[in-house]
Amino acid sequence: MFKYLYLTGLLLATLGLYATPAVPKAVPVEDSTALYQQALDNYVDSVSKSFKYETGTIILPGGKAEIHVPAGFKFLNKEKSQYVLTSIWGNPPENGSKTLGMIFPENSDPFADSSYAFIIEFDDIGYVKDDDAEKINYSEMMKGMQDGEKEINEARAKEGYPGIHLIGWAQQPFYDKENKVLHWAKEIRFDDQEGSHTLNYEIRILGRHGVLSLNAVCKMSELPLVKADINKVLHMATFTQGNTYFDFDPKMDNVAAWSIGGLVAGKVLAKVGFFAILLKYLAAGWKFIALGFIALLGFFKRLFSRKKAEKESIVFATGTGEPDAGNGSGEPDGSSEITDTAALPPAENDPEEKP
């Protein structure tokens, strides 16, 4: 839970907006809970109003691909999507640097606790040959990836991250050779995870110069929702004229050191000198799409319901500054820093719940 502490600080610091010098440092639990909820509601309302979702046909940044948003979905642009990934969901900036936008179900948003979103990226890796697509044994591939967990988790442990375990395919890989679309889903469990396992649903659309990626990470309980919509999602993204898979020119274009199997397993040929997709989307998967906001709400709910029952008090150590007002238009721009801090109850008084 340590990876969500920055968002905890955000909500706690916001309480400074509602406090006055006359308020004593020891605040009754009931008032404290109300302040938390008020700060949370105001933050969610402010951010939600700043988002301008789009429908129809959207040319993605770079001009190589476009999204045809079907009925029942909405598109969030690059800048706001990066804000969601970093400032709301707690991912490091580098994990959102390649994001071109996000696709949400029309009745969902970044704060929904029972939905999903697809994050759109373009990987400029070159033309991926697909001649191995019909030769892959995906059962053996899964076993090989599971056998490699020990080495990955040892590296994660050294960096202070919880272990990650592949349970199996939630959707076995399928390659649509006619449309050059590959998709699959994995069921994942983290060592520090409670409740439902994690679902990682990945789509790759092959193009002349690289691969357009649509990735969703949510709870396994959301799998029926994703499956119900997946046919629309698979066909909503296309490459623009001159950038399709069929526009490949072997005389001038680069051939990727990846295969269809490599895209799924995360393995690359030896000559490629960078980390595999497996490490990017699985070994560090929680950093790309963290369900941190949902987890934070659950933490606060448990924390305050227990403290209220015990009739204890919470002492806030708030600063006097205010959060950055944003870009001057009332819209959050993801660049503000929160300097106010607030103290949670001492750990020794709360041995059962530790973020």
Side-chain angles (χ1 to χ4, degrees):
M1 185 65 84
F2 67 90
K3 52 185 175 286
Y4 309 130
L5 289 181
Y6 87 99
L7 187 52
T8 306
L10 170 65
L11 295 177
L12 293 174
T14 308
L15 294 177
L17 298 175
Y18 306 103
T20 65
V23 176
K25 295 187 68 176
V27 183
V29 170
E30 290 80 3
D31 292 344
S32 301
T33 305
L35 285 175
Y36 270 111
Q37 189 61 52
Q38 183 180 1
L40 177 60
D41 291 345
N42 287 348
Y43 172 71
V44 171
D45 183 64
S46 175
V47 172
S48 297
K49 287 181 177 178
S50 76
F51 289 164
K52 307 300 180 185
Y53 295 98
E54 302 175 62
T55 58
T57 298
I58 295 107
I59 303 295
L60 295 174
K64 289 186 172 67
E66 59 188 17
I67 299 291
H68 308 277
V69 184
F73 290 89
K74 57 189 179 183
F75 174 83
L76 189 63
N77 69 20
K78 174 181 177 179
E79 291 73 21
K80 295 302 182 184
S81 294
Q82 291 176 338
Y83 180 85
V84 169
L85 293 175
T86 58
S87 297
I88 297 179
W89 287 351
N91 299 281
E94 60 268 22
N95 288 90
S97 61
K98 296 169 61 179
T99 300
L100 302 179
M102 298 177 72
I103 296 291
F104 290 90
E106 63 179 350
N107 296 322
S108 181
D109 60 42
F111 302 103
D113 62 355
S114 182
S115 188
Y116 67 91
F118 276 93
I119 289 76
I120 307 168
E121 288 189 343
F122 177 72
D123 289 311
D124 189 13
I125 59 176
Y127 176 87
V128 177
K129 292 185 176 181
D130 63 354
D131 49 8
D132 68 324
E134 298 177 356
K135 307 173 185 177
I136 303 170
N137 185 322
Y138 289 112
S139 296
E140 291 184 0
M141 178 184 288
M142 174 56 66
K143 185 178 184 304
M145 291 190 292
Q146 291 170 332
D147 290 343
E149 285 182 3
K150 181 179 179 181
E151 182 179 353
I152 292 174
N153 286 332
E154 287 176 352
R156 288 173 61 82
K158 290 179 181 179
E159 297 181 3
Y161 301 140
I164 183 172
H165 307 280
L166 275 171
I167 305 303
W169 298 117
Q171 172 65 54
Q172 182 163 298
F174 177 79
Y175 180 58
D176 180 348
K177 192 174 182 67
E178 180 179 353
N179 294 300
K180 308 303 178 184
V181 177
L182 171 69
H183 66 106
W184 70 93
K186 301 184 181 94
E187 180 178 355
I188 302 168
R189 177 180 63 81
F190 292 91
D191 281 342
D192 65 347
Q193 186 172 12
E194 297 180 3
S196 180
H197 289 173
T198 295
L199 171 67
N200 183 196
Y201 210 113
E202 305 195 50
I203 300 171
R204 301 289 182 270
I205 304 169
L206 278 57
R208 176 181 179 179
H209 303 292
V211 178
L212 192 66
S213 302
L214 284 75
N215 304 298
V217 175
C218 53
K219 295 178 291 185
M220 274 299 299
S221 56
E222 268 74 78
L223 180 59
L225 296 177
V226 180
K227 282 191 170 183
D229 296 333
I230 196 61
N231 285 334
K232 292 182 180 180
V233 177
L234 289 174
H235 301 292
M236 69 169 60
T238 59
F239 284 96
T240 54
Q241 185 174 1
N243 294 296
T244 73
Y245 195 82
F246 306 100
D247 294 317
F248 173 70
D249 185 345
K251 296 180 180 179
M252 60 184 298
D253 295 333
N254 295 324
V255 176
W258 299 77
S259 64
I260 294 297
L263 291 177
V264 178
K267 297 178 181 178
V268 296
L269 300 181
K271 66 179 182 180
V272 180
F274 49 84
F275 288 117
I277 285 180
L278 179 64
L279 295 180
K280 178 180 179 182
Y281 288 110
L282 293 185
W286 65 265
K287 293 192 289 185
F288 186 68
I289 307 293
L291 297 176
F293 193 84
I294 299 170
L296 182 66
L297 293 180
F299 166 72
F300 278 131
K301 182 178 180 180
R302 295 192 302 271
L303 176 65
F304 287 116
S305 62
R306 181 172 59 257
K307 293 303 181 183
K308 182 176 182 180
E310 295 173 354
K311 302 298 182 181
E312 295 182 3
S313 297
I314 295 177
V315 177
F316 296 108
T318 56
T320 57
E322 294 185 357
D324 194 318
N327 56 19
S329 64
E331 296 185 9
D333 59 9
S335 61
S336 61
E337 295 182 358
I338 303 300
T339 56
D340 300 69
T341 58
L344 291 174
E348 59 268 22
N349 292 336
D350 187 18
E352 298 179 0
E353 293 289 342
K354 295 182 180 180

